[in-house]
Amino acid sequence: MLAKKGFPMNSLERIGAAIHLQIPDRVPVDLHNFQTAAFATGLPMSEVFRNGALLAEAMLQAWREFGHDMILLENGTACNAQACGMEVIYQKDSAPVAEKPLISSLVEVVGLEVRDPYKAFPMCEILKATRILSKELGDRVWICARADQGPMDLAAQLRGMDALMMDIATGEEEEAIHALLDYARRVATRYALALIECGGHSTSIGEPIGGPDLMSPRHYRQYAWPQEKRMVDELKQHGVILHNHICGKTDRIVEEFVATGAQVLEIDHKTDPHKIKDAARNRTCLLGAIDTGLMAFGKPDEIDAACKNLIEIWKPDSGFILGPGCALAPQVPAANIHALIEAAERYGRY
C-alpha cells in the first residue's frame, strides 16, 4: 500500500492505506454526497432513491466532477426500515424518511423476519447500484456501500424513538430491548454482507441515536455498544471492513467508540478532534469531520481553512480520511466541494 517515489497511489490504494493505518501518498477524500449527487441530476430525488441504476449514475456523475477517493453509497436512513416492512415517504427534494413504527410492543419482535437483501426493496436497488459502481470504478476507487442504520438506530425506527427511549429509561424490559437490538443487528449484518458480495470494498452503519446527544453513555454501553461490537466482530470474520458513524458530540464515549473495533469511525464536527485523535491513534481510521453546515453555507476559503486545521491535527500517523462529518445537503455549492478536494491535495501530502 505504500507509495513509491514518482508513483502516486490511485484512490483505491490511498483509502486502503489509510484504513490499514499505513502512510498513503496524501490524505484521501470521501464525499458523503448521495443527496447532493441525486439533486444534481435534475430528477426528483424520490425517483433517484428508488432506482439503483439512477442512483449509480448520479454517484458516477459526481465522481467525474470531483474525483474523490471514496464513494459512500446509500439512499438515506430508511432503507433497512422499509425492507423490514415499515412505510417510508419518498420526498421530492430530500432523502426518504420512515413513517410510523412497525411494532407497538416489544413482544412483537419475535414475529419479525430478516429479509433477503437481494429481494427486499429498496435493499435490492442499492445492491444494483453497488454492482454498477463496482463494474465501472471498483478497480481504482473505494466504494463504501452503506448498510444503512445500525442496531440502535434501526431498533428506534421499528419501535419508535420515543417508545424505545421510554423502554430504556424504565429498564423494565431489558431482555426484550436486547432482542429487538439483536434483530436489528442481524438485518444490518445480512445487508452488509450482500453489499460486499456485490462489490463494495467496505460498508458502514449509522448509530446517531446511540450518541451522547440523545442517549447517556451508560445506556450506550448497556445497549448500543454490545451490538455494534458484535456486528464488527462478525463482519471481521468474513473479512469485511465496517465504518461506524455516530452523529453529534461523542467526547464522552470516545474510548467505547474506538473499542467497538470498527476499522473506520465517521466523526461529526462537534467531536473534539484532539480527543478522538488521541483515542484512535494506531487503533482505527478517522473519517470526517468538516461541518456540513459550513459546506452548505460557507465560502470556499472558509472550507479550505477548516480542512487545513483538521489535516494538521489528524494527519500525523495516518489513519485519516478527509470528508464531511455527516451527509451533505442536496444543494451544497460545487465550489465548496472542490475546496475540500483541493485542500487534501494542498495540505495533505505525506
Side-chain angles (χ1 to χ4, degrees), residues 26 29 167 184 220 288 326 332 342:
R26 66 156 170 81
V29 178
D167 294 334
Y220 173 75
C326 199
V332 173
E342 291 163 8

Side-chain angles (χ1 to χ4, degrees), residues 272-332:
D272 183 333
H274 296 280
K275 188 168 186 176
I276 190 66
K277 177 64 177 181
D278 289 344
R281 182 176 279 109
N282 300 320
R283 296 171 68 189
T284 191
C285 178
L286 300 177
L287 188 158
I290 302 304
D291 185 351
T292 54
L294 182 66
M295 291 296 298
F297 303 111
K299 297 179 180 179
D301 61 338
E302 294 174 316
I303 292 158
D304 179 86
C307 291
K308 181 176 185 288
N309 179 63
L310 186 64
I311 288 170
E312 289 174 352
I313 299 169
W314 280 3
K315 178 184 170 186
D317 309 312
S318 186
F320 171 36
I321 300 167
L322 178 68
C326 199
L328 293 174
Q331 299 188 53
V332 173

Side-chain angles (χ1 to χ4, degrees), residues 128-311:
K128 181 192 296 182
T130 303
R131 287 192 294 268
I132 293 169
L133 290 172
S134 177
K135 181 179 179 181
E136 293 290 329
L137 299 176
D139 61 343
R140 49 204 169 110
V141 176
W142 191 280
I143 300 165
C144 175
R146 192 163 201 192
D148 194 36
Q149 299 311 95
M152 180 55 72
D153 267 50
L154 179 55
Q157 290 178 320
L158 297 172
R159 175 75 172 109
M161 187 169 76
D162 290 346
L164 182 61
M165 290 299 184
M166 185 60 69
D167 294 334
I168 290 172
T170 62
E172 295 174 357
E173 298 181 89
E174 182 174 350
E175 186 175 339
I177 295 170
H178 283 296
L180 174 60
L181 291 165
D182 182 74
Y183 166 76
R185 176 190 53 77
R186 288 184 285 118
V187 170
T189 300
R190 178 67 188 90
Y191 185 31
L193 291 170
L195 289 161
I196 299 302
E197 290 166 0
C198 289
H201 297 105
S202 62
T203 189
S204 173
I205 53 170
E207 285 280 79
I209 291 173
D213 283 2
L214 293 171
M215 179 176 291
S216 72
R218 176 173 68 86
H219 284 142
Y220 173 75
R221 290 189 292 268
Q222 183 179 359
Y223 291 107
W225 188 88
Q227 294 293 343
E228 293 170 11
K229 173 64 173 170
R230 185 173 177 183
M231 186 171 177
V232 169
D233 289 346
E234 183 173 349
L235 290 174
K236 280 183 176 179
Q237 291 176 5
H238 293 274
V240 176
I241 295 169
L242 179 68
H243 308 203
N244 193 1
H245 174 74
I246 297 181
C247 292
K249 187 178 179 67
T250 58
D251 292 14
R252 292 193 293 161
I253 59 166
V254 291
E255 289 298 334
E256 294 91 340
F257 198 12
V258 173
T260 62
Q263 294 97 317
V264 181
L265 299 181
E266 298 175 7
I267 307 300
D268 197 337
H269 75 280
K270 295 179 182 179
T271 293
D272 183 333
H274 296 280
K275 188 168 186 176
I276 190 66
K277 177 64 177 181
D278 289 344
R281 182 176 279 109
N282 300 320
R283 296 171 68 189
T284 191
C285 178
L286 300 177
L287 188 158
I290 302 304
D291 185 351
T292 54
L294 182 66
M295 291 296 298
F297 303 111
K299 297 179 180 179
D301 61 338
E302 294 174 316
I303 292 158
D304 179 86
C307 291
K308 181 176 185 288
N309 179 63
L310 186 64
I311 288 170

Side-chain angles (χ1 to χ4, degrees), residues 42-56:
L43 297 170
M45 293 172 71
S46 56
E47 184 176 346
V48 176
F49 291 142
R50 283 188 173 100
N51 186 306
L54 290 178
L55 179 58

